[in-house]
């Protein structure tokens, strides 16, 4: 469908009244004929329409047979009188512009109220007419639409006038989408006559149209308007490439179509034989669409290794229009049965419409000889919405109105989701330059994706969005508390780019209770919040603004890490260490032998242990099953029977090594050390390995006040937000240990690292929870 500007407004008959059959003048004089015509019009109760409106009225009546033509006539007369004497840069009377814009809207099928506002859309901006006068004459609805498209004065806003004008239009569009529809039609007519502008102005206007207006037309689903705007912008900014592409199109049009039209007739016969009522037509590509296909052809080498030239099937696609939704799938079945479908080319936008209400089935089939033809299948209603988008939904219904709708009709007349999100973040950007940059960046993506949360909520995101963007789309608090994500059932980094159809769970930290200590003193517990690195992963303005606002309100604070017992926790008696000087274990057959508790597995009562003789007559004690101990046994070391002494203890107390697997987040180290300290346990050493994707591993060697404190400590560490496993590591299976020396050190050889696993090995006590854990996925 191509929007035409309409017939010339003057100089030739444009109505039946003007070009009707002539009668002999002797039978009825000219004056009598005129009086009779006026009497006939008055008899029907229909006011006369100015001649200039006749083409517009004909088009409008095709969509709205009961339209109020008197209202249109009054609006035209007021606009003509207000603009009288004004000229466009082309030299034409200015009234030709609002008439042409209104014709575009009439061809789209817009309602009478929209056409009235379109006729008056420049009066408040360019004439002495006031908005109050428009409202008094045509009602508040028309006045709102006219005000929405009225530009702000450069005298008041200076260089920010254009950005603030678009902000004003977007806010008005949030309440009535017809504001932006009128603006798009206005820009289309201006682009049609852009040749009358200065070259510098042409480039500036074309770039704004490319960066803002065309993406808005795409999001509103007005495809016919978007396609023509794209072609004019292409011709303005890239005239040489446009000329080459147009030459290819003209050459193809001048030759008989030996591919698409015969295939269309063949498909129509096939569908008729199966009883599917359908219209099959060839849908030519517009200039920009063909140019994109040619670029893909040039980038993909053919069988001979050379870039491919244009193919006959590149110049168009087949469009199949049916009556019912079920017929779409019947057509698809015939296509895939009679011809070979291309894997990966099928898309079902009927069951899952695009963000701009678009619905169709897309497929591609290979014909005899290997030629690939793209086919679109849709119902008549889907075709109407695909061409004219929100205009096809009609004027907004009054509040509380209920419409009967087909359950399979997925069009939503409510405010589009992308517009709601845009209106939310624009309120946070008072600076015009920042708003303009964020707006163009947000509109840069030419498509959106759909992500479904594990709770069944559907999220619409721009293509290229990450888990960070999804977290903030669920709510600012959810974003601030986000510590990880699970995509399609697997843990993944927050920087992961989401794909259409992904299943997502946002993992959040549980807010701590009480207060935490900082170098500035105690403060109320709050989420850890985002880190500055998140800004590199945020693709949507809403997420970026929320992160920047958090970072500005929460300057970096250094947490105070306290080891040892916390306030309120009794310290272990000072004399306890002095009392426990006996050997921690007794070795059968070797009374008084020096005992070394292995550092690789840090045995603690009541672990099952085994001893091995080492140099110097000492005995190394390992937990049963420790790989390092097993290697010593395999090397010929004798196993010694050892048992824990009830009152025995090492000279430096019972030490244990604990490994915490966690989702990386800010302040995790501080929270873990605080949890250990709160149990009255001292930290001897700590090691934090570099994060790998989303996960991080902390290893602590602690000194226990009592061996029985170990299970309680592990549970306390597991309760820290983001920690999903706490275990007691052992030496790796394949990393050979060095010969234990007199100090009983059984550490792995240099370069050997513990094996990575989400569920670590543990004995005595094993703590594990799902990464969703007690926090639970939000959304």
């Amino acid at each position: 469908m191509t929007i035409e500007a309409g017939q010339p407004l003057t100089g030739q008959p444009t109505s039946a009244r003007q070009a009707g059959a002539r009668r002999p003048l002797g039978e009825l004089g000219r004056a009598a004929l005129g009086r009779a015509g006026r009497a006939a019009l008055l008899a029907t109760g229909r006011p006369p329409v100015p001649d200039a409106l006749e083409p517009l009225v004909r088009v409008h009546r095709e969509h709205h047979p009961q339209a109020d033509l008197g209202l249109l006539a009054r609006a035209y007369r007021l606009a003509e009188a207000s603009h009288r004497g004004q000229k466009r840069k082309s030299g034409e009377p200015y009234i030709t512009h609002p008439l042409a814009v209104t014709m575009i809207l009439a061809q789209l099928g817009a309602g009478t109220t929209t056409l009235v506002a379109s006729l008056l859309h420049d009066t408040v901006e360019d004439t002495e007419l006031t908005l109050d006068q428009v409202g008094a004459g045509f009602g508040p609805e028309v006045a709102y639409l006219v005000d929405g498209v009225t530009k702000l004065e450069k005298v008041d806003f200076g260089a920010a006038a254009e950005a603030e004008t678009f902000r004003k239009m977007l806010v008005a569009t949030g309440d009535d989408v017809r504001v932006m529809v009128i603006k798009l039609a206005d820009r289309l007519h201006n682009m049609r006559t852009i040749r009358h502008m200065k070259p510098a102005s042409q480039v500036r206007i074309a770039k704004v149209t490319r960066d803002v207006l065309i993406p808005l037309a795409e999001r509103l689903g007005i495809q016919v308007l978007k396609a023509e705007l794209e072609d004019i912008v292409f011709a303005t900014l890239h005239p040489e490439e446009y000329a080459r592409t147009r030459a290819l199109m003209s050459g193809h049009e001048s030759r008989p179509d030996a591919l698409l039209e015969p295939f269309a007739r063949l498909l129509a016969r096939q569908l008729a034989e199966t009883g599917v009522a359908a219209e099959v037509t060839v849908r030519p590509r517009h200039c920009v669409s063909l140019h994109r296909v040619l670029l893909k052809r040039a980038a993909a080498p053919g069988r001979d290794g050379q870039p491919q030239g244009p193919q006959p099937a590149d110049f168009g696609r087949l469009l199949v229009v049916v009556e019912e939704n079920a017929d779409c799938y019947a057509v698809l079945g015939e296509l895939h049965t009679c011809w070979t479908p291309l894997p990966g080319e099928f898309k079902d936008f009927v069951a899952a419409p695009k963000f701009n209400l678009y619905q169709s089935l897309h497929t591609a089939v290979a014909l005899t000889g290997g030629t690939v033809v793209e086919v679109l299948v849709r119902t008549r209603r889907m075709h109407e919405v695909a061409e004219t988008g929100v205009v096809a939904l009609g004027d907004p219904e009054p509040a509380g109105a209920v419409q009967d709708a087909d359950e399979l009709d997925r069009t939503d007349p409510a405010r589009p989701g992308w517009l709601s999100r845009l209106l939310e973040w624009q309120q946070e950007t008072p600076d015009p330059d920042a708003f303009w940059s964020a707006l163009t960046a947000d509109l840069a993506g030419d498509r959106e994706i759909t992500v479904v949360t594990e709770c069944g909520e559907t999220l619409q995101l721009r293509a290229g969005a990450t888990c960070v963007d999804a977290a903030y789309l669920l709510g600012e608090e959810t974003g601030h508390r986000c510590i990880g994500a699970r995509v399609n059932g697997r843990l993944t980094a927050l920087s992961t780019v989401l794909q259409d159809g992904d299943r997502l769970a946002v993992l959040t930290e549980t807010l701590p209770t009480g207060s935490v200590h900082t170098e500035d003193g105690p403060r109320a517990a709050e989420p850890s919040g985002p880190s500055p690195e998140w800004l590199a992963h945020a693709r949507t303005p809403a997420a970026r603004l929320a992160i920047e606002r958090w970072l500005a309100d929460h300057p970096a604070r250094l947490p105070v890490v306290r080891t040892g017992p916390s306030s309120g926790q009794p310290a272990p008696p000072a004399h306890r260490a002095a009392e426990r000087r006996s050997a921690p274990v007794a070795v059968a057959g070797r009374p008084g032998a020096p005992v070394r508790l292995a550092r690789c597995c840090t045995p603690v009562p009541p672990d099952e242990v085994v001893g091995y003789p080492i140099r110097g007559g000492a005995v190394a004690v390992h937990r049963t099953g420790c790989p390092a101990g097993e290697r010593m046994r395999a090397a010929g070391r004798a196993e010694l029977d050892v048992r824990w002494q009830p009152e025995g203890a090492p000279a430096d107390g019972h030490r244990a090594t604990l490994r915490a697997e966690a989702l990386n987040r800010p302040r995790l180290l501080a929270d873990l050390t605080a949890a250990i300290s709160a149990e009255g346990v001292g930290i001897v050493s700590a090691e934090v390995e570099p994060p790998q994707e989303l996960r991080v591993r902390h290893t602590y060697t602690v000194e226990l006040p009592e061996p029985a404190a170990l299970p309680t400590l592990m549970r306390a560490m597991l309760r820290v937000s983001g920690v999903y496993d706490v275990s007691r590591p052992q030496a790796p299976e394949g990393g050979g240990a060095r010969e234990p020396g007199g100090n009983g050190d059984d550490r792995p050889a240099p370069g050997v690292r513990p094996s990575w696993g989400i569920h670590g090995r543990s004995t005595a006590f094993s703590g594990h929870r799902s990464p969703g854990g007690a926090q639970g996925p939000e959304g």
Side-chain angles (χ1 to χ4, degrees):
M1 174 179 177
T2 303
I3 301 177
E4 301 294 344
Q7 298 294 329
L9 301 177
T10 58
Q12 59 179 312
T14 56
S15 68
R17 180 162 56 87
Q18 290 176 282
R22 294 180 180 271
R23 299 183 63 180
L25 292 179
E27 183 177 340
L28 188 64
R30 289 181 180 272
L33 182 61
R35 287 193 298 271
R38 286 192 292 273
L41 287 172
L42 292 174
T44 61
R46 189 175 296 168
V49 175
D51 292 345
L53 276 185
E54 286 289 351
L56 175 64
V57 168
R58 284 201 306 271
V59 174
H60 187 43
R61 278 200 173 280
E62 292 177 3
H63 299 277
H64 304 276
Q66 304 300 321
D68 185 355
L69 300 183
L71 195 63
L72 276 175
R74 283 201 299 117
Y76 168 75
R77 292 190 182 98
L78 179 59
E80 194 278 331
S82 300
H83 291 295
R84 190 171 297 158
Q86 295 179 345
K87 299 285 186 180
R88 303 193 78 222
K89 291 188 181 296
S90 61
E92 298 174 309
Y94 195 89
I95 189 61
T96 60
H97 171 65
L99 270 175
V101 172
T102 308
M103 175 61 82
I104 292 172
L105 294 170
Q107 291 170 335
L108 290 174
T112 305
T113 303
T114 307
L115 301 190
V116 169
S118 174
L119 285 170
L120 301 171
H121 79 275
D122 274 340
T123 54
V124 175
E125 180 181 333
D126 296 331
T127 73
E128 298 299 323
L129 195 67
T130 65
L131 195 62
D132 291 338
Q133 291 172 321
V134 173
F138 299 92
E141 192 175 6
V142 171
Y144 183 85
L145 297 177
V146 172
D147 182 46
V149 296
T150 299
K151 295 178 184 177
L152 299 175
E153 295 289 344
K154 288 188 177 181
V155 175
D156 300 325
F157 290 88
E162 185 172 41
E164 290 302 322
T165 295
F166 272 102
R167 187 201 298 267
K168 172 174 172 273
M169 289 181 187
L170 287 169
V171 172
T173 302
D175 292 325
D176 196 326
V177 75
R178 292 175 293 178
V179 171
M180 190 55 64
V181 174
I182 295 173
K183 176 60 182 177
L184 290 170
D186 172 65
R187 179 55 60 96
L188 176 57
H189 184 251
N190 285 331
M191 293 298 292
R192 285 174 173 175
T193 57
I194 197 173
R195 63 186 179 279
H196 299 293
M197 304 289 290
K198 296 178 181 178
S201 297
Q202 292 185 32
V203 172
R204 178 183 61 81
I205 294 172
K207 287 183 177 179
V208 173
T209 304
R210 176 197 63 192
D211 296 339
V212 179
L213 273 304
I214 289 176
L216 286 173
E218 167 75 11
R219 280 156 173 74
L220 293 177
I222 313 176
Q223 179 62 31
V224 290
L225 196 151
K226 168 182 173 281
E228 188 173 353
L229 282 175
E230 282 184 329
D231 285 354
I232 299 174
V233 168
F234 185 36
T236 303
L237 299 181
H238 308 282
E240 295 180 358
E241 294 182 39
Y242 174 80
R244 286 196 296 267
T245 307
R246 281 300 311 171
L248 285 173
M249 294 178 67
S250 300
H252 174 75
E253 292 167 358
S254 64
R255 297 187 299 269
D257 188 348
L259 176 67
L260 295 180
E261 289 185 1
F263 179 56
R265 290 192 294 268
L266 178 60
L267 177 59
R269 286 198 301 270
Q270 180 66 31
L271 295 176
E273 291 174 2
T274 57
V276 179
E279 293 179 5
V280 184
T281 57
V282 177
R283 184 177 178 85
R285 292 185 184 272
H286 65 99
C287 194
V288 169
S289 177
L290 176 61
H291 181 68
R292 290 172 180 153
V293 172
L294 296 179
L295 290 178
K296 291 181 180 178
R297 287 281 187 193
R303 296 180 179 179
D304 57 357
Q306 299 299 318
Q308 301 181 64
Q311 304 296 318
D314 295 339
F315 290 88
R317 297 179 288 185
L318 256 61
L319 173 64
V320 183
V321 178
V322 296
E323 296 297 332
E324 304 292 339
N325 291 50
D327 293 340
C328 295
Y329 296 97
V331 172
L332 184 71
E334 290 299 320
L335 278 167
H336 289 185
T337 300
C338 300
W339 293 275
T340 304
L342 265 65
E345 293 296 324
F346 170 65
K347 296 183 178 68
D348 188 348
F349 296 118
V350 173
K354 287 186 177 182
F355 65 95
N356 60 358
L357 311 180
Y358 177 86
Q359 289 181 282
S360 285
L361 295 180
H362 288 209
T363 190
V365 295
L367 308 184
T368 304
T371 303
V372 176
V373 176
E374 296 182 40
V375 184
L376 312 179
V377 186
R378 60 180 68 143
T379 65
R380 295 185 185 279
R381 175 60 176 169
M382 292 176 191
H383 181 62
E384 185 181 1
V385 174
E387 296 290 280
T388 60
V390 295
V391 181
L393 303 179
D395 291 347
E397 292 293 325
V402 179
Q403 289 182 312
D404 294 333
D406 183 357
E407 291 183 0
L408 293 178
D409 184 5
R410 306 300 180 88
T411 56
D412 182 8
R415 185 170 70 182
W418 63 265
L419 181 57
S420 300
R421 298 193 298 273
L422 188 151
L423 293 175
E424 289 173 2
W425 65 253
Q426 69 85 22
Q427 297 175 357
E428 307 296 334
T429 53
D431 180 65
D433 292 335
F435 165 75
W436 188 253
S437 299
L439 175 65
T440 53
D442 191 50
L443 296 175
D446 60 352
R447 67 184 186 91
E448 289 199 0
I449 61 172
T450 301
V451 175
V452 182
T453 68
E454 291 186 356
C455 293
E457 184 177 355
T458 300
L459 305 180
Q460 296 288 346
L461 292 157
R462 57 172 292 185
T466 65
C467 297
V468 172
D469 299 305
Y472 279 96
L473 183 57
L474 289 169
E476 194 164 306
E477 281 303 313
T478 301
H480 291 338
R481 292 168 51 205
C482 175
I483 56 175
R486 189 167 54 234
V487 177
N488 300 325
R490 301 186 64 179
L491 288 175
T492 186
L494 290 176
S495 59
T496 299
V497 176
L498 297 170
Q499 303 298 323
D500 197 27
D502 278 346
R503 193 163 181 262
L504 171 73
V506 174
L507 311 179
T508 58
E509 66 173 312
T510 304
L511 290 179
T513 57
S515 61
V516 294
H517 294 275
T518 68
E519 57 187 4
D520 300 326
R523 60 181 175 84
E526 60 182 9
S528 301
S531 64
E533 290 77 12
W534 287 19
L535 288 172
H537 310 321
R539 301 289 185 269
T540 58
R544 291 188 61 85
L545 290 168
I547 295 170
E548 290 171 350
R549 188 163 53 249
W550 170 276
L551 296 176
D553 294 342
H554 299 77
R557 299 185 180 96
L558 295 177
V560 176
V561 179
R562 292 187 168 89
T563 60
S566 61
S567 57
Q569 289 281 346
H575 61 84
R576 190 171 294 169
E579 291 177 353
R580 295 183 175 177
R581 293 302 181 189
S582 59
V585 296
V587 182
R590 296 193 180 190
V595 173
R596 303 288 185 266
L597 299 182
R599 295 185 184 180
C600 59
C601 56
T602 57
V604 174
D607 293 341
E608 294 183 5
V609 290
V610 63
Y612 299 96
I614 57 177
R615 289 193 298 265
V619 176
V621 178
H622 291 260
R623 287 157 52 191
T624 300
C626 173
E630 292 294 329
R631 288 192 295 273
M632 296 177 70
R633 183 179 61 81
R637 303 289 179 93
E639 289 189 11
L640 303 177
D641 184 21
V642 296
R643 65 180 184 277
W644 295 104
Q645 295 276 52
E647 298 297 330
D652 52 359
H654 283 286
R655 294 187 176 185
T657 300
L658 300 177
R659 177 174 295 154
E661 308 275 4
L663 300 172
N664 193 27
R665 64 172 178 84
R667 295 214 306 264
L668 177 62
L669 175 62
D671 291 345
L672 273 171
T673 54
I676 295 172
S677 174
E679 297 299 321
V681 176
I683 299 176
V684 177
S685 65
E687 178 186 359
V688 179
E689 298 180 17
Q692 295 187 11
E693 291 283 330
L694 180 68
R695 297 166 291 190
V696 67
R697 173 183 289 172
H698 290 219
T699 304
Y700 299 91
T701 299
V702 296
E703 183 176 348
L704 303 170
E706 296 284 353
L710 182 59
T712 304
L713 173 62
M714 295 176 73
R715 293 190 186 97
M717 294 173 66
L718 192 62
R719 285 194 295 268
V720 173
S721 181
V723 178
Y724 59 85
D725 192 23
V726 177
S727 60
R728 296 176 60 194
Q730 296 178 342
E733 296 284 354
R738 67 176 183 171
E739 176 70 17
N743 59 357
D745 191 355
D746 279 346
R747 282 177 287 191
V752 177
R753 297 178 61 83
S755 60
W756 183 269
I758 293 181
H759 309 300
R761 288 187 299 258
S762 61
T763 58
F765 174 81
S766 176
H768 168 75
R769 64 178 175 186
S770 166
Q775 312 99 307
E778 293 220 7

